[in-house]
Amino acid sequence: MVSNYCFKITNKQQRLGKDKTFFIRTYGCQANERDSEIIKAILLKIGFKEIKDFNKNVDLVILNTCAIRQNAENKVFGLLEQLKKKKETRKIKYFGICGCVAQQPQIIKRLKVKISNIDFFMGTNNIIDLPHILEMVMLKDKQVSRIDKMKSALVENWPNYRETRHKALVNIMYGCNHYCSYCIVPYVRGPIRSRTKENILDEVKCLIKNGCKEITLLGQNVNSYGIDLKQNYTFANLLEDVAKTKIPRIRYATSNPWNFTKEIIDVMAKYKNIMPYIHLPIQSGDETILKLMNRTMKVKDFIALIKYARKKIPCLTVSTDLIVGFPNETNKQFRKTLKLYKKIKFDNAYTFIYSARPNTPASKIIDKVALKTKQKRLTKLNKLVKKYSKWNNNKYITNVVQVLVDGQSKTNKNIFTGYSHNWKVVNFVGQAKIGDIVNVKITSSSLFSLNGEKISC
Ligand code: SAH
Ligand code: F3S
């Protein structure tokens, strides 16, 4: 059972950011987005002001990084070179790296040699140490690394900051114990630590009070929620309790198919405020590859699961993640992924070329497939993704959908955008405010979005 840490700021730390500015750039997943909100909350609390223009002079720059694939890491390294130069010309006073790249000791070692003017490295579980880190850097002129092995305790008293009022990310758990053979997450985010149901529900109720319309419950694999708490209280139970708070819209991410239960589907079917959309990353349509990925699942069970979900929730949309070119994937195995895609007719998919990650079991397999072959497979798969995205989107033409408004077009003040229940981007003509839920009649569809006009009923 995990205990709680208390976030504290000393009197000295309280004034660290007085008359100073910060800029933060976030890479990667929603867990990182939420971490960045917490980092911002801390910086605002100690007096810093945020600036959003990277080209201005700024006191503090933080990169919240992603390590899920090599190209995600490369983006960070590219920006680091720019930051190094800005620091040399005093356009930036201090800069630090946090997130999943910073959690890897071998990378930090490399960076310390290559880019010596990085002021601090902060691990994924060390955000609580940020005031202390800044004190060391700013007042004592020290280079600081705070990268703890995974702490088991959780922090519940973070200062509050949300990017938007109408939508919020709510962590329900941290880390993952599953060790899919290609995945770096368990190494950089540690084992599962679930928050208690009481803390989660309190956060949701507080968000409702502040006018929030939609929450996304976050976990690396939400299906495993609660297994560490050993209270016989599952993700399906939590989802139901959150639905009972009557928040207008609930989503969750991510749910891996191999331990996705029918109970979750049953709860979704029972409550109108749980959005009829599931993101179920299957990764491959070939069972041998799935086994090598340590995501053992029978393809027929996956098909049966989707069939059950679609029967229970007729308006359901389903998307997935797919990796092509897992080590030694054959053409025949790849074609099984295409076959499964055609069978399910997913609404959308995030597709990736396999990327070897340090320390993972898959990275030790000698891979004989050429990158060119993998790229060709990805192109082929993406063609299918587009085809079925358009095919699914066309079904909405003439329908009326409810849209939670996120923003206004920069070029046309009469055009707004938001998401439908089914996680479709909807652009519409008409007047609205951010945070409104409006009815939109769909008049046409594009590859990855719907277009329509606001109607009053
Ligand atoms: N548990 C998280 C993992 C996020 S990673 C979740 O399911 O949300 C998002 C996607 O990135 C994964 O589903 C997978 O398709 C892809 N991915 C992860 N590791 C990868 C790797 N080493 N190479 C290529 N793609 C990878
Ligand atoms: Fe990664 Fe598998 Fe966990 S994809 S986050 S190890 S469920």
Side-chain angles (χ1 to χ4, degrees), residues 137 164 308:
V137 169
T164 58
Y308 179 80

Side-chain angles (χ1 to χ4, degrees), residues 176-180 182-186 220-221 256 258 283 295:
C176 180
N177 295 350
H178 192 72
Y179 292 93
C180 297
Y182 54 83
C183 182
I184 198 169
V185 170
Q220 296 297 338
N221 175 16
N256 286 315
W258 43 264
Q283 313 298 0
R295 289 174 77 97

Side-chain angles (χ1 to χ4, degrees), residues 68-69 182 220 254 283 321 323 352-355 357:
I68 198 81
R69 285 169 293 276
Y182 54 83
Q220 296 297 338
T254 304
Q283 313 298 0
D321 290 346
I323 297 178
F352 310 99
I353 290 182
Y354 166 78
S355 165
R357 305 315 294 132

Side-chain angles (χ1 to χ4, degrees), residues 101-353:
V101 169
Q103 193 65 36
Q104 302 171 77
Q106 76 279 11
I107 293 208
I108 300 215
K109 234 189 210 165
R110 221 171 82 201
L111 282 176
K112 275 188 177 162
V113 176
K114 224 174 140 215
I115 304 174
S116 55
N117 56 4
I118 300 176
D119 294 291
F120 65 90
F121 300 91
M122 178 170 76
T124 52
N125 282 287
N126 294 87
I127 296 176
I128 191 167
D129 302 318
L130 182 58
H132 178 72
I133 293 173
L134 290 176
E135 187 181 340
M136 290 294 128
V137 169
M138 295 167 70
L139 303 183
K140 306 218 164 119
D141 208 18
K142 288 206 165 124
Q143 188 188 46
V144 185
S145 283
R146 273 297 180 99
I147 298 130
D148 286 353
K149 281 250 172 71
M150 303 302 167
K151 288 178 179 172
S152 60
L154 302 178
V155 181
E156 287 295 347
N157 70 328
W158 291 121
N160 188 28
Y161 173 83
R162 303 274 175 184
E163 285 299 336
T164 58
R165 209 165 90 105
H166 67 293
K167 272 183 173 180
L169 302 172
V170 176
N171 283 317
I172 62 167
M173 61 204 288
Y174 304 90
C176 180
N177 295 350
H178 192 72
Y179 292 93
C180 297
S181 68
Y182 54 83
C183 182
I184 198 169
V185 170
Y187 305 89
V188 289
R189 290 226 166 235
I192 289 182
R193 285 141 294 149
S194 302
R195 294 176 68 198
T196 64
K197 136 192 183 186
E198 290 77 16
N199 283 328
I200 297 167
L201 291 173
D202 281 352
E203 183 173 342
V204 174
K205 284 175 197 156
C206 187
L207 285 163
I208 297 173
K209 250 195 216 154
N210 289 328
C212 182
K213 303 272 176 65
E214 178 179 302
I215 54 160
T216 302
L217 304 174
L218 283 189
Q220 296 297 338
N221 175 16
V222 293
N223 309 344
S224 302
Y225 170 78
I227 55 174
D228 53 321
L229 299 177
K230 298 189 176 70
Q231 289 173 343
N232 214 5
Y233 182 81
T234 64
F235 177 62
N237 300 139
L238 177 71
L239 195 58
E240 175 148 31
D241 281 337
V242 173
K244 284 180 186 160
T245 64
K246 300 219 161 64
I247 184 144
R249 290 177 162 214
I250 301 161
R251 302 186 188 278
Y252 56 88
T254 304
S255 231
N256 286 315
W258 43 264
N259 66 345
F260 188 73
T261 60
K262 286 192 171 166
E263 286 74 30
I264 300 174
I265 298 170
D266 296 343
V267 171
M268 288 179 75
K270 196 167 153 193
Y271 293 91
K272 281 215 164 75
N273 56 345
I274 307 176
M275 296 296 96
Y277 164 68
I278 320 179
H279 181 63
L280 272 181
I282 182 69
Q283 313 298 0
S284 167
D286 180 78
E287 281 169 19
T288 310
I289 294 284
L290 286 176
K291 212 167 171 184
L292 288 169
M293 287 177 165
N294 191 26
R295 289 174 77 97
T296 310
M297 179 163 203
K298 294 257 177 275
V299 170
K300 72 171 181 10
D301 292 340
F302 181 74
I303 294 170
L305 188 69
I306 305 264
K307 198 170 165 199
Y308 179 80
R310 284 179 169 159
K311 198 168 151 217
K312 279 270 184 166
I313 312 164
C315 58
L316 187 76
T317 42
V318 186
S319 62
T320 195
D321 290 346
L322 295 162
I323 297 178
V324 302
F326 186 81
N328 304 322
E329 180 194 56
T330 63
N331 244 325
K332 201 170 158 197
Q333 287 169 327
F334 168 64
R335 282 201 303 273
K336 288 197 183 158
T337 299
L338 298 178
K339 191 173 162 205
L340 178 65
Y341 205 92
K342 288 180 196 159
K343 172 92 190 157
I344 303 288
K345 301 182 174 64
F346 290 101
D347 282 84
N348 201 355
Y350 301 91
T351 57
F352 310 99
I353 290 182

Side-chain angles (χ1 to χ4, degrees), residues 386-403:
K386 284 184 191 155
K387 176 179 159 184
Y388 283 106
S389 176
K390 180 84 172 107
W391 181 81
N392 278 301
N393 282 353
N394 281 348
K395 290 191 282 193
Y396 291 89
I397 297 176
T398 73
N399 285 11
V400 174
V401 300
Q402 285 199 332
V403 178

